[in-house]
Amino acid sequence: GTGNGNGTGNGNGTGNGNGTGNGNGTVTSALPVNNVGISNDTNVGAANFDTAGFSYSAQALQNAGITPGKTINFRGVSFVWPAPAAGDNVAAKGQTIPVTPVKGATTLAFLGSASFGPSMGNATITYTDGSTQAFTLAFSDWTLNGGRSLPLNGNQIVATTPYRNSPNGIQLGQMPNVFYTAVTLQAGKTIKSVTLPAAANRGMLHVFAIGTK
């Protein structure tokens, strides 16, 4: 009977495994969102991704397989797409975000894009031993500058949508993207948090989700 109890414990162990996944989810759901960049096609004025009134379409993202609260698996990383409340992304302004990594994590990864980009800035990883690691967080322009640019080195396209919403309700075919980028963690260390760039070289860096693998 006790053995079965231990079996239940093992079941809980599996639960803890899921908990690790939820740990990544916690990173995402707890993101200090400060921008609404996704609008419903019937209410385009509710979002302003680029400060000029343009936004991603919730319907177009859904058709691309991205919906609020959904787990998105890309390059071996499980990301949880934010569920809009006060916002749906972080416009990078030096925020420090706690990270709960998967066991043995070797990579920190991001889903995001830039408005009026491509944009890059200085970011910092802090480890549980107090040491830090500087890196450059860079994202391509969300529409690849109206289709005139290629993704930055280190950026991979996770999803492309056929249009973006404009302030006057017209759907413009500039094809916004969501990008993936990642940084290698220092061997033998455990990440505690990441501090986003306080500023970008141009435009604004936006982060939708953070994960590890």
Side-chain angles (χ1 to χ4, degrees):
T2 303
N4 290 338
N6 290 340
T8 304
N10 290 339
N12 290 339
T14 304
N16 290 338
N18 291 338
T20 303
N22 290 336
N24 285 342
T26 302
V27 173
T28 307
S29 61
L31 283 180
V33 292
N34 58 0
N35 177 260
V36 180
I38 302 169
S39 65
N40 190 296
D41 288 354
T42 61
N43 186 21
V44 298
N48 185 3
F49 181 74
D50 62 355
T51 71
F54 296 89
S55 59
Y56 288 87
S57 159
Q59 284 82 355
L61 284 170
Q62 181 176 356
N63 290 338
I66 296 177
T67 54
K70 180 179 179 179
T71 298
I72 299 168
N73 296 302
F74 190 82
R75 300 287 293 178
V77 182
S78 293
F79 297 97
V80 178
W81 193 258
D88 48 48
N89 71 90
V90 180
K93 297 180 179 179
Q95 301 93 331
T96 296
I97 301 172
V99 176
T100 303
V102 298
K103 186 176 181 180
T106 59
T107 301
L108 175 67
F110 303 83
L111 297 183
S113 64
S115 53
F116 293 105
S119 305
M120 60 188 67
N122 298 320
T124 304
I125 292 165
T126 299
Y127 293 98
T128 53
D129 65 1
S131 62
T132 59
Q133 173 186 342
F135 71 101
T136 299
L137 181 64
F139 276 121
S140 308
D141 181 78
W142 62 319
T143 69
L144 290 174
N145 306 107
R148 298 186 302 274
S149 302
L150 294 173
L152 293 174
N153 286 337
N155 277 199
Q156 297 178 48
I157 296 174
V158 178
T160 302
T161 58
Y163 61 90
R164 64 177 177 171
N165 286 333
S166 67
N168 59 12
I170 297 174
Q171 296 174 347
L172 301 174
Q174 280 120 352
M175 302 180 67
N177 301 273
V178 175
F179 301 100
Y180 167 98
T181 191
V183 57
T184 300
L185 300 173
Q186 292 178 0
K189 295 187 178 184
T190 301
I191 185 173
K192 178 183 179 182
S193 64
V194 59
T195 301
L196 300 179
N201 64 325
R202 58 177 286 188
M204 179 64 70
L205 290 159
H206 297 259
V207 175
F208 287 105
I210 298 174
T212 57
K213 69 173 179 178

